[in-house]
Amino acid sequence: MESVSSYGSHSPEAPDMNARTAVATALVLGIAVGPAGPALAAAPAPVAAVTTIQEAPDAKALRAAIAGLPKADATAALVRVAGTDGYWQGSSGVHDLESNRPADPDARFRAGSVTKVFTAAVVLQLASEGKLDLNRPARHYLPELIPASYRKVTVRQLLNHTSGIPSVGSGGDTLDEWYAHRFDLHDAADTVREATSHEPDFAPGTQQHYDNIGYTVAGLLIEEVTGHTYAAEVSRRILKPLHLKDTYFPGTDPTIRGPYNHGYQIFTGADGTGELRDVSVWGATDAWAAGDLISTTADLEHFIRALFRGQVVRGPLLEEMFTLPGASVREYGTGEPAAYSAGLSVVKLGGREVWGKTGGRWGYNTAVVATRDLSRTLVYSVNATDAKGEGMNATALNIVVAAFGAPSAG
């Protein structure tokens, strides 16, 4: 059963496949066994609920983007769009595949790499207070952890992914291996020691390679400079002042506290057929300051608006979040132009520059994106069955294109 309430707004023509491929390529960067769940073939009828206030932006396209859930790529979606054209909030799908209850539009979810925006904001706050220097080597603050071979890596390079510190594995080579180790506990300092025991991928500041390791070091920097835990410092500086009451760091707890919609992931069996498993309970200590945040669409919408207005990072340091590395810096291994700043990334959609961050944890894809002037903001959580895959989730892609339009050249 579908229940929809909306007020007239024009729906743009659907972009062609090349346009969708282009936006997926731009946005997917940054999406870093118990009993088997029910097969998706047994999924209930679609459930959708939409609330619109004022004249909603592209309401018809947004409704279509989340229609028909659950389906193969997603079991639920929560969306908020706001700005000068009005406000739109929608949810679709189910809370879980057993009860078939409608998805909770206020549910908490794993925000994945959206965590990096919070981490970067705290580091920039500390820089504005003179407690650390973005141009100073990270080793100056962590001499016993960062070896001499990485002595030239600066704090800024940690935040904009140009440090050259290589990636390290923490869960396995296959989804089944990750699942078997989903409750393993990971120590951030040990992760950094493992990564820096290898040769750099490139000289610091010469290329850009998106990964979690720079933000793992950044989290340790926050702890070293403040004398407080990473979670406590982010809570004190951001969560509490902004009253983000449904946002928290889970630590070693693999569950999602409070109301949430279940996340499912497709696992491929030995016979090649797929099955869905409930992956809602999964430890996130491997991601820590790079990706363990749990939040809601309402909290993330409030956060991005406050951030872009200069209410979180104040003064000139905010520009670090909207400044890409020099034109000579290219994406490692692809030669594409750098797209990441301190905490954010940028893509051109519908003729406008859109800044923000995507995130992925098993069963969940998230994004918080906006134009610099906040004329349009988008926050979504998609309970993606292909989360952390190589491509962008189809439902998530449809939401982005509905909210902002097709990608633009230049």
Side-chain angles (χ1 to χ4, degrees), residues 267-353:
F267 285 71
T268 303
D271 60 355
T273 60
E275 65 173 12
L276 287 181
R277 297 183 192 175
D278 190 327
V279 293
S280 308
V281 180
W282 195 306
T285 56
D286 61 300
W288 192 52
D292 71 346
L293 192 76
I294 290 173
S295 191
T296 63
T297 56
D299 274 7
L300 291 180
E301 182 182 68
H302 181 51
F303 169 68
I304 199 69
R305 295 182 72 81
L307 179 69
F308 281 31
R309 286 173 175 159
Q311 297 168 347
V312 179
V313 180
R314 303 179 186 277
L317 268 298
L318 178 60
E319 290 305 311
E320 292 286 337
M321 305 193 86
F322 299 98
T323 303
L324 300 177
S328 62
V329 177
R330 315 292 284 190
E331 174 66 21
Y332 178 63
T334 70
E336 294 294 322
Y340 291 93
S341 61
L344 302 176
S345 62
V346 64
V347 64
K348 204 164 189 179
L349 300 172
R352 297 173 288 186
E353 276 194 351

Side-chain angles (χ1 to χ4, degrees), residues 187-265:
D187 179 78
D190 286 345
T191 299
V192 174
R193 291 188 189 98
E194 180 185 355
T196 56
S197 69
H198 301 284
E199 292 294 317
D201 282 339
F202 48 82
T206 63
Q207 297 186 60
Q208 186 172 76
H209 184 196
Y210 178 85
D211 208 346
N212 287 346
I213 190 63
Y215 280 77
T216 302
V217 179
L220 293 169
L221 273 177
I222 291 170
E223 295 192 334
E224 179 66 24
V225 170
T226 66
H228 304 137
T229 67
Y230 164 79
E233 196 65 16
V234 178
S235 296
R236 182 178 75 84
R237 289 173 170 271
I238 300 178
L239 306 190
K240 292 180 181 178
L242 294 182
H243 306 290
L244 305 182
K245 60 183 178 61
D246 291 312
T247 301
Y248 74 97
F249 298 93
T252 59
D253 183 357
T255 67
I256 300 174
R257 300 197 301 266
Y260 68 92
N261 298 317
H262 288 234
Y264 296 88
Q265 192 79 24

Side-chain angles (χ1 to χ4, degrees), residues 31 114 160 174 201 310 328 374:
I31 293 293
V114 171
N160 66 19
T174 67
D201 282 339
S328 62
L374 294 173

Side-chain angles (χ1 to χ4, degrees), residues 115-129:
T115 309
K116 293 181 175 71
V117 190
F118 290 76
T119 304
V122 171
V123 171
L124 294 174
Q125 284 184 3
L126 292 169
S128 71
E129 296 164 9

